Amino acid sequence: MDDSATKFGYAFYLSFFFRNILKLEQKFQQITLKKIAKPYTVGDFCMGNCLAISVGCCPFSKIDTELREERKLACSIGLESGFFSSVQAHRILNTFNGYHVNQLRRIGHLLVGEFGNAPHCSLIIVDIDQSVRSTYAQKREGATTGKNQKYGQNCLQWSVAFSQGEVIDQQLKEGYRHCIDDLKERYHSSKKILGRIDILRIDGG
């Protein structure tokens, strides 16, 4: 792999990992998104986003300045026509609904089962927590003036379950939601993925 062909020297290794180890292309074929701009497929969009986020191109506006000229890197991830623009990325992302998000969550659960260390531990400890995620846009679905460090700024609540440093289950909730509202759902979902939970850790909230 010629890592000198891109300013992101490690990105070709990420491409190889995503395509040949995790087999993400095949897994993303499960997503039933119909409307997408040619010549790209749903798999192209998902693979491109995975790589873009991994090299720090978030928000997606950075795709235009950081990745649009990275032709060899795009081909390494399966994007023969090059990286899509930030406008195309937002258009495709806006067609996702709750059903597609659940499909992505199932892929995440599948990856935990195949490659995660947590399910194979003799003592499974799960840490359930919630943290604030501020939104870039002024109007984001579900974003409200929540428990944010920056008073008055809209946010979402990231409800997440960790084990062995791995994200087992996660979901974005409305900004006003308290962590106790989502505790049962994260617990039962994590238990289903891991098979059992020996110790559950939660914070004072």
Side-chain angles (χ1 to χ4, degrees), residues 51 67 70-83:
L51 188 61
L67 293 177
E70 297 281 352
R71 302 289 299 184
K72 289 185 178 181
L73 182 57
C75 289
S76 75
I77 203 72
L79 305 178
E80 301 299 333
S81 301
F83 277 96

Side-chain angles (χ1 to χ4, degrees), residues 52 57 59-68 83-86 89:
C57 290
F60 286 151
S61 57
K62 291 185 178 181
I63 292 176
D64 296 331
T65 57
E66 301 290 337
L67 293 177
R68 288 290 280 173
F83 277 96
F84 39 77
S85 68
S86 61

Side-chain angles (χ1 to χ4, degrees), residues 145-159:
T145 304
K147 298 177 176 61
N148 198 323
Q149 296 173 352
K150 296 182 179 179
Y151 180 76
Q153 183 175 341
N154 287 348
C155 68
L156 294 165
Q157 298 287 351
W158 183 40
S159 176

Side-chain angles (χ1 to χ4, degrees), residues 11-205:
F12 282 111
Y13 299 98
L14 285 173
S15 299
F16 180 86
F17 180 68
F18 290 157
R19 298 188 77 182
N20 298 285
I21 306 299
L22 299 182
K23 307 288 186 182
L24 287 183
E25 281 181 300
Q26 293 91 320
K27 290 178 172 65
F28 285 142
Q29 291 176 3
Q30 303 174 31
I31 300 175
T32 56
L33 195 67
K34 294 181 180 179
K35 295 181 180 179
I36 195 164
K38 294 181 179 181
Y40 301 105
T41 65
V42 178
D44 292 338
F45 170 70
C46 293
M47 292 292 287
N49 278 346
C50 285
L51 188 61
I53 293 170
S54 297
V55 299
C57 290
C58 188
F60 286 151
S61 57
K62 291 185 178 181
I63 292 176
D64 296 331
T65 57
E66 301 290 337
L67 293 177
R68 288 290 280 173
E69 302 302 320
E70 297 281 352
R71 302 289 299 184
K72 289 185 178 181
L73 182 57
C75 289
S76 75
I77 203 72
L79 305 178
E80 301 299 333
S81 301
F83 277 96
F84 39 77
S85 68
S86 61
V87 174
Q88 289 172 309
H90 282 108
R91 283 177 180 172
I92 298 169
L93 194 62
N94 287 336
T95 62
F96 273 67
N97 56 35
Y99 181 73
H100 301 115
V101 171
N102 285 333
Q103 288 180 325
L104 285 172
R105 285 183 67 196
R106 284 194 291 272
I107 292 173
H109 298 166
L110 185 63
L111 290 172
V112 171
E114 288 183 6
F115 301 99
N117 181 53
H120 309 292
C121 290
S122 57
L123 182 66
I124 298 180
I125 303 173
V126 173
D127 188 352
I128 297 179
D129 201 0
Q130 183 167 284
S131 62
V132 169
R133 287 293 180 268
S134 299
T135 58
Y136 292 102
Q138 293 295 321
K139 295 182 179 180
R140 180 75 67 193
E141 184 177 357
T144 61
T145 304
K147 298 177 176 61
N148 198 323
Q149 296 173 352
K150 296 182 179 179
Y151 180 76
Q153 183 175 341
N154 287 348
C155 68
L156 294 165
Q157 298 287 351
W158 183 40
S159 176
V160 59
F162 295 100
S163 183
Q164 295 293 314
E166 301 166 356
V167 174
I168 306 303
D169 188 45
Q170 61 180 320
Q171 192 166 8
L172 283 175
K173 295 289 187 177
E174 294 85 352
Y176 61 82
R177 294 285 290 271
H178 193 276
C179 56
I180 197 66
D181 299 334
D182 201 47
L183 180 59
K184 283 187 177 181
E185 183 180 351
R186 290 288 76 72
Y187 172 79
H188 289 299
S189 180
S190 299
K191 187 176 181 180
K192 183 178 180 181
I193 296 165
L194 297 172
R196 73 181 198 280
I197 295 177
D198 298 316
I199 299 176
L200 176 65
R201 296 193 305 197
I202 54 178
D203 59 19

